[in-house]
Amino acid sequence: KYNGEPTQLIIGDRNTFREYCTVNRGTVTGHGKTEVGHDNLIMAYVHVAHDCMVGSHTVFSNGASLAGHVTIGDHAILGGFTLVHQFSALGAHSFTGMGTALNRDLPPYTIASGNYARAIGINKEGLKRRGFAPETIRALTQAFKLLVKGRDRGVAMQEVDSLANQHPEVQRFVDFINQSQRGIVR
């Protein structure tokens, strides 16, 4: 599609790109730019397609690939050979296992694995390592069980409201789910 239009590839500071990575500039039919934040580790053979938005402090293991228009939140970790469908989003602090194929959005703080991906639970170990309080992790786990694994979303939203009022992380989790364009991994 590229015909010399003024599009951009913006790469932040202190990123490490290992061997044979490809990162494509934006397109005029997209955002016009591809952005990679700061302090990311992009391992060998990773592909970041056009119009992607990658946050900061992420890890892309070998062979991870993003199709066009993908958004990756801060502190996300993509396991080796993770494939992400175009227009999908991965929330902050999310984690994918090796060989995961994501065709839907992955809420923040969530672990997913499989082809096609399914949500496993909250990224408890990653959150502990980043200093999240135990009560916040418990609240996120409860919200996950209600909104991702539960059946009746209306009832679940009522129950999650009080958790969201007490924990801003739960509110971010709820907001991500409510704003999802592709639906979420369950």
Side-chain angles (χ1 to χ4, degrees):
K1 294 181 188 178
Y2 183 69
N3 286 317
E5 301 93 352
T7 59
Q8 296 179 303
L9 168 58
I10 301 167
I11 297 176
D13 298 325
R14 298 172 307 280
N15 290 295
T16 299
F17 289 87
R18 297 301 305 202
E19 300 79 13
Y20 307 108
C21 293
T22 54
V23 184
N24 297 125
R25 66 189 317 154
T27 62
V28 293
T29 57
H31 305 294
K33 63 184 173 182
T34 298
E35 286 190 62
V36 177
H38 308 290
D39 302 299
N40 297 294
L41 172 57
I42 313 292
M43 294 184 192
Y45 301 99
V46 167
H47 175 68
V48 178
H50 62 91
D51 301 291
C52 287
M53 306 298 250
V54 176
S56 296
H57 307 282
T58 66
V59 176
F60 286 54
S61 296
N62 294 341
S65 293
L66 307 182
H69 309 274
V70 169
T71 302
I72 306 290
D74 294 342
H75 298 281
I77 298 175
L78 280 71
F81 304 101
T82 292
L83 305 174
V84 183
H85 192 279
Q86 63 190 11
F87 297 100
S88 294
L90 281 77
H93 303 279
S94 59
F95 183 98
T96 67
M98 180 186 74
T100 299
L102 281 166
N103 63 343
R104 291 191 164 70
D105 295 341
L106 181 61
Y109 317 109
T110 304
I111 294 175
S113 185
N115 183 359
Y116 286 108
R118 67 181 188 88
I120 308 275
I122 292 297
N123 183 11
K124 293 176 185 177
E125 193 57 41
L127 297 178
K128 284 181 200 171
R129 289 178 184 169
R130 290 190 196 99
F132 282 71
E135 57 272 5
T136 300
I137 296 171
R138 279 192 296 276
L140 285 166
T141 301
Q142 189 173 357
F144 173 86
K145 288 177 183 174
L146 291 165
L147 293 176
V148 177
K149 293 297 183 183
R151 296 279 183 228
D152 189 344
R153 191 163 174 201
V155 171
M157 287 303 269
Q158 292 172 358
E159 291 185 41
V160 169
D161 258 355
S162 66
L163 287 172
N165 290 333
Q166 297 169 27
H167 302 278
E169 296 83 1
V170 173
Q171 187 62 57
R172 283 193 279 283
F173 184 79
V174 171
D175 290 345
F176 183 97
I177 292 171
N178 288 335
Q179 295 167 6
S180 173
Q181 297 293 306
R182 295 188 54 80
I184 62 165
V185 174
R186 296 204 177 269

